[in-house]
Amino acid sequence: MHINQDILESAIDHLSDPGYFIWDDFISKEEVGKLVSIADEGNQSGDFKKAGIGKQALFQLDKSVRGDYINWLDRENQNESVHHFLNKIEFLKSTLNETCYLGLKDFETHFAIYPENTFYKKHVDRFQQNAHRVISFVLYLNQNWQNDHGGELAIYFNDKTEIVQPLAGRLLLFRSELEHEVLMAYKKRYSITGWMLDKDMSLTFLP
Ligand code: OGA
Ligand code: NI
């Protein structure tokens, strides 16, 4: 697996301060193309579900908060490009554990599609119902993204705002307690979003 050591070190530094890191060309444009096709196929077969807020009893669908559709990924997924991405995230997770002692045990991740004119209002990814999310990651899959397509991610920290364009192949990493927001996407927006967790979720699925 090819991971650039200098960028990796920079990512570790930036995750401790200011708490986020933008990693361009985390995966190649060719891989991006394959992942977009997988997302499109899944979408056409009805595998994507309207995303909600909260979990189980507290789960709500609210278009005024978020407008995306999601499809969870797992390691059973046989697709080579998906595997490749999951392996890279797994490696990143291990490295972060060795260097930052974050106690990361697992990760969960899904494709997300924001149809035209949708957004995700300001929120944090770590809260009562999602207490185990430590590091959020988003791999952007938007080829030929233009400024007027919108859909940027705004991260808020220390009274500052960073605006991140959702460019193909870019991985954004940030601490899950940071406030952030997906600005209005004027064009269909693709990503793979996920969270590194301080709990082993596979245990949750035991009978
Ligand atoms: C999320 C989220 C950011 C993005 O799904 O919780 O904040 O840029 N996504 O897609
Ligand atoms: Ni979020």
Side-chain angles (χ1 to χ4, degrees), residues 93-135:
K93 194 198 84 192
S94 312
T95 309
L96 288 175
N97 269 344
E98 286 158 20
T99 52
C100 310
Y101 312 106
L102 290 174
L104 304 170
K105 305 242 164 44
D106 201 358
F107 64 88
E108 54 185 7
T109 184
H110 59 59
F111 274 114
I113 297 180
Y114 286 75
E116 272 177 38
N117 300 317
T118 58
F119 52 83
Y120 191 164
K121 282 261 171 73
K122 195 195 270 195
H123 66 281
V124 293
D125 290 346
R126 183 187 181 103
F127 54 99
Q128 253 174 331
Q129 280 88 50
N130 274 320
H132 299 289
R133 294 176 169 180
V134 180
I135 301 288

Side-chain angles (χ1 to χ4, degrees), residues 112-178:
I113 297 180
Y114 286 75
E116 272 177 38
N117 300 317
T118 58
F119 52 83
Y120 191 164
K121 282 261 171 73
K122 195 195 270 195
H123 66 281
V124 293
D125 290 346
R126 183 187 181 103
F127 54 99
Q128 253 174 331
Q129 280 88 50
N130 274 320
H132 299 289
R133 294 176 169 180
V134 180
I135 301 288
S136 303
F137 57 87
V138 194
L139 175 74
Y140 296 109
L141 303 172
N142 305 294
Q143 293 150 313
N144 308 314
W145 184 88
Q146 313 281 316
N147 270 321
D148 60 1
H149 294 169
E152 300 91 345
L153 182 90
I155 307 183
Y156 303 94
F157 62 101
N158 301 339
D159 299 325
K160 280 182 265 178
T161 306
E162 171 83 31
I163 303 287
V164 183
Q165 299 175 341
L167 303 180
R170 168 177 278 180
L171 183 79
L172 171 71
L173 293 161
F174 61 94
R175 292 188 169 262
S176 300
E177 71 268 15
L178 286 183

